[in-house]
Amino acid sequence: MKIYFKPLTYITIFAFALFSCSSDDSSSDDSGGNDDDDDDVAVTELHAAFAAFNLDAVTAILSDDGTEVYIETTGFPDHTSIYWETDNALYMDEPGVSKTTQDTYIGGGQGEAASFTVDATPNLTGSTVTTQLNTIGIAVSGASIFNDQEGMGDLDQAAGSLDWAGAHKGPGVYHYHLEPTPITNDDESLVGILLDGVFIYGRQCSSTGTYPTDLDASGGHTSTTQYTDGAEEYHYHIVNEEYPAGNYAYDPAYVLFAGPFQGY
Ligand SMILES: [Zn+2]
Ligand SMILES: [Zn+2]
């Protein structure tokens, strides 16, 4: 499906998208709820799931006491997109996508890097925390994960600028809003880790080989995963519920993560 805007509408919509994305350029996040150190549980090695990340972009380091993991990324995804510069090997023309601005590209402008620290063992006993604009997690590709909002509004206003990975870029970081199909496409693949230290997987779960039916309000549940060696662990899934993003060039659309966080 191709959507073409009249020039004035186009400018209006994307000027707003540009503005709303301009708060996305922070390179770090200090809103993590890791200040309740009382009941931090130490681990002896980095979670096996980190091996699935794009190591050209993502670095994960376990703290000496084993209670926290520091994660940083260049923000550069390891897959094709219209948001790469046209002379980049990963550039792909996507005729149905209306870029946020013509001169924005991954690695250009205000930088893509992000970093945060999470509990090595997420604290699931506290209250839930709503997601914010800006980076809410890092995908295995190395790029940022955002929630289901664009600026102060509904995602659909910006859906026309989302590429085949369900991602786009303002002046700030390249980021996913929808199921990132280069990473997971209706399967059980690991998608990334969120700011609360909880991993998120595709729409299916390796514990059953199909769509989980016991998800909580955040899309989370406790079961084995392909990275837990038979142990049960709380994790999120992309909820298998189609998102009616009318302006999205691809079909169907699934929101990556709307929240709230359970792990703070
Ligand atoms: Zn966005
Ligand atoms: Zn699961």
Side-chain angles (χ1 to χ4, degrees):
M1 178 179 62
K2 295 180 181 180
I3 299 291
Y4 296 101
F5 295 103
K6 293 174 195 155
L8 185 62
T9 314
Y10 178 93
I11 289 165
T12 306
I13 289 175
F14 291 104
F16 182 76
L18 189 71
F19 173 76
S20 56
C21 275
S22 65
S23 62
D24 298 343
D25 55 293
S26 165
S27 63
S28 66
D29 184 283
D30 56 4
S31 64
N34 298 311
D35 43 7
D36 51 341
D37 291 338
D38 311 343
D39 49 3
D40 280 354
V41 180
V43 297
T44 54
E45 56 185 21
L46 212 51
H47 197 292
F50 284 110
F53 282 69
N54 167 18
L55 299 181
D56 289 337
V58 181
T59 305
I61 301 168
L62 184 64
S63 64
D64 288 342
D65 66 2
T67 62
E68 293 184 329
V69 180
Y70 172 75
I71 306 164
E72 66 176 21
T73 180
T74 63
F76 297 166
D78 54 1
H79 59 72
T80 58
S81 169
I82 193 175
Y83 284 100
W84 285 104
E85 216 169 353
T86 50
D87 61 358
N88 190 293
L90 292 175
Y91 172 80
M92 181 173 77
D93 188 24
E94 297 183 81
V97 176
S98 303
K99 287 180 64 179
T100 39
T101 64
Q102 286 310 310
D103 56 355
T104 189
Y105 57 88
I106 298 166
Q110 302 178 17
E112 319 277 336
S115 64
F116 54 84
T117 301
V118 300
D119 288 342
T121 306
N123 180 355
L124 299 164
T125 60
S127 50
T128 61
V129 175
T130 54
T131 58
Q132 306 289 323
L133 300 176
N134 216 323
T135 296
I136 64 163
I138 294 176
V140 295
S141 67
S144 281
I145 295 170
F146 275 37
N147 67 10
D148 62 339
Q149 303 288 304
E150 182 69 16
M152 295 309 290
D154 193 83
L155 181 59
D156 196 50
Q157 64 176 310
S161 66
L162 297 173
D163 65 10
W164 76 290
H168 65 174
K169 179 177 166 59
V173 303
Y174 175 81
H175 56 272
Y176 307 104
H177 286 285
L178 302 176
E179 178 181 64
T181 53
I183 299 172
T184 181
N185 189 352
D186 194 16
D187 59 32
E188 63 195 40
S189 298
L190 178 69
V191 176
I193 186 168
L194 300 187
L195 287 182
D196 60 353
V198 177
F199 291 101
I200 182 166
Y201 293 82
R203 286 185 273 142
Q204 302 195 34
C205 186
S206 69
S207 66
T208 56
T210 185
Y211 309 108
T213 55
D214 57 346
L215 300 180
D216 62 22
S218 303
H221 73 159
T222 301
S223 76
T224 61
T225 78
Q226 59 270 51
Y227 298 104
T228 58
D229 197 23
E232 297 202 324
E233 175 181 275
Y234 183 80
H235 57 277
Y236 301 121
H237 284 279
I238 294 173
V239 177
N240 186 38
E241 206 171 274
E242 221 177 300
Y243 178 76
N247 292 330
Y248 188 41
Y250 301 89
D251 202 42
Y254 298 88
V255 167
L256 209 174
F257 184 77
F261 294 118
Q262 301 282 338
Y264 278 143

